[in-house]
Amino acid sequence: MNSIPSTMRAMVMEKKGQPLTLQTVPVPVPGAGQVLIKVIACGVCRTDLHILDGELPSPALPLIPGHEIIGEVVAAGEGVTTLPVGVKVGVPWLAYTCGHCKYCSLGQENLCEQALFTGYSVNGGYADYVVALADYCLRVPEQYAHPGGAPLMCAGLIGYRSWRMVPEHAQHIGLYGFGAAAHILVQIARYHYKSVYAFTRPDDKAGESFALKMGATWAGSSLDAPPVLLDAAIIFAPDGSLVPQALSQLDRGGVVVCGGIHMSDIPGFPYQLLWEERSIHSVANLTREDGALLMETIQHVPVSAMVQAFPLEQANEALQALRKGEIKGAAVLVM
């Protein structure tokens, strides 16, 4: 580690509801099973806003947020043999699982009772360097080892896990909230010859145009009815009122998938909207299998994330732009 500095820049959360502060902190030293990663870029996710606003409880303060990390391994701790120095990796939300609880035993490590999460319960990528367990890093194809690959580590992964919950026969698929996850997922859906119907905020004509540009068949307000009944709908926006709205647009046997980690309360709705074997599913976190499958998928499905780059020290500005809906695609911090 002779060529690695002893200190680094980091944007740090000290308390909820307060802006992040730029600090100089020690470069972490990788422990057993860990690698030290020089961060190339880190995506800015809506989950980061939920953490900063206190909507996700008990973050490990003081905290370096960020869980959409692309970087290069520069040092390895004891026992690491799978990730040599120089390899490009991605670090997603899932940072650790126990491996022996009932959920891990059933292949549902995303529900692990002792799970740790990057940029929430352990420090993340709003910094020059980050440590991560080697077994939870993803080898990233070289063509994605740049800032444009950062959104794949959460927006891409959560979108892909949501996609896997959509029945294979589904042809007409609605996406509510056309941001970082949706603009990646629409490309995968179109590759599989699916028709995508994009729902944006009311009067967001720029958002509608962006969705059509990215490959949506139709785009309109979240209050509008699409031209056909939907076989499935995925909700990325954190607005619980969209659940009954999406149900009202589903065909018989259709499914609504809630892809966010936080959502406002779902209002009451008549049973008639759920009847005829419609269903609602939520997506919780991700598994390493999701990561491996997505990395395999993007080897042959051309996916391009549209990013708006910010320097590390402008993390607060990036977060506010995301909050205001001013980001088309994904915001990314570049080191």
Side-chain angles (χ1 to χ4, degrees), residues 310-330:
F310 294 80
L312 174 64
E313 59 270 20
Q314 290 184 12
N316 289 312
E317 288 84 348
L319 287 160
Q320 285 307 308
L322 178 62
R323 188 190 300 278
K324 294 177 181 178
E326 297 172 351
I327 303 295
K328 293 297 179 277

